[in-house]
Amino acid sequence: MPQQPTPEQTALFAKACQVKANAYAPYSQFHVGAVLLTDSGREYTGVNVENAAYPLGICAERSAISAAITAGERCFTAIAICGERDTEPCFPCGACRQVLAEHCSSDLAIVLADGVYRLAELLPYAFALDPELPI
Ligand code: THU
């Protein structure tokens, strides 16, 4: 069961819904916005960007992570994700969960339309090159 969001998490989710307007999704018509929050309070946005060569499309979550890593950020506390319908949870796909695991701790807050999940809940037993070490 998801947790109740804090007021800050609710505000982060609202920003994900706003940035969704910039999604480029002419093929699926499924628009997604994401906002990644750093431990220093900075925010990085991402949207899904599709391509006529379908596999080249990128998800909103990975767009946001790429923007943040490019800016030199390394530590994240939350990601809000808003899918096509603002009131229904849009769970991150499996690929995005694994990419989040690469860059975020397992207690990363994943803020969706119905509440807050933790990365460890959504990706138990994440792949790691060395299971003894954190990813
Ligand atoms: N999509 C995301 O942006 N994030 C997800 O976690 C799941 C799916 C996008 C990819 C594609 O552009 C569209 O949603 C439909 O699959």
Side-chain angles (χ1 to χ4, degrees), residues 109-132:
I110 299 179
V111 185
L112 305 182
D114 64 342
V116 182
Y117 297 80
R118 300 285 157 180
L119 182 56
E121 288 182 75
L122 298 191
L123 189 67
Y125 307 105
F127 173 76
L129 288 171
D130 181 347
E132 298 294 315

Side-chain angles (χ1 to χ4, degrees), residues 36 60-70 76 79 96 99-100 103:
L36 188 61
E61 298 91 324
R62 277 177 287 153
S63 294
I65 290 169
S66 297
I69 296 292
T70 301
F76 307 104
I79 186 168
C96 287
V99 172
L100 287 166
H103 299 287

Side-chain angles (χ1 to χ4, degrees), residues 26-118:
Y27 305 106
S28 71
Q29 298 296 332
F30 191 93
H31 303 80
V32 185
V35 185
L36 188 61
L37 180 67
T38 73
D39 60 345
S40 60
R42 281 189 282 270
E43 295 172 1
Y44 293 85
T45 56
V47 296
N48 54 330
V49 182
E50 298 184 347
N51 191 277
Y54 291 178
L56 299 184
I58 185 166
C59 292
E61 298 91 324
R62 277 177 287 153
S63 294
I65 290 169
S66 297
I69 296 292
T70 301
E73 302 287 355
R74 290 293 183 269
C75 214
F76 307 104
T77 58
I79 186 168
I81 306 162
C82 181
E84 180 62 27
R85 293 169 292 280
D86 290 15
T87 52
E88 285 177 19
C90 175
F91 288 91
C93 76
C96 287
R97 294 179 199 198
Q98 185 69 38
V99 172
L100 287 166
E102 179 81 22
H103 299 287
C104 307
S105 77
S106 60
D107 69 343
L108 175 81
I110 299 179
V111 185
L112 305 182
D114 64 342
V116 182
Y117 297 80
R118 300 285 157 180

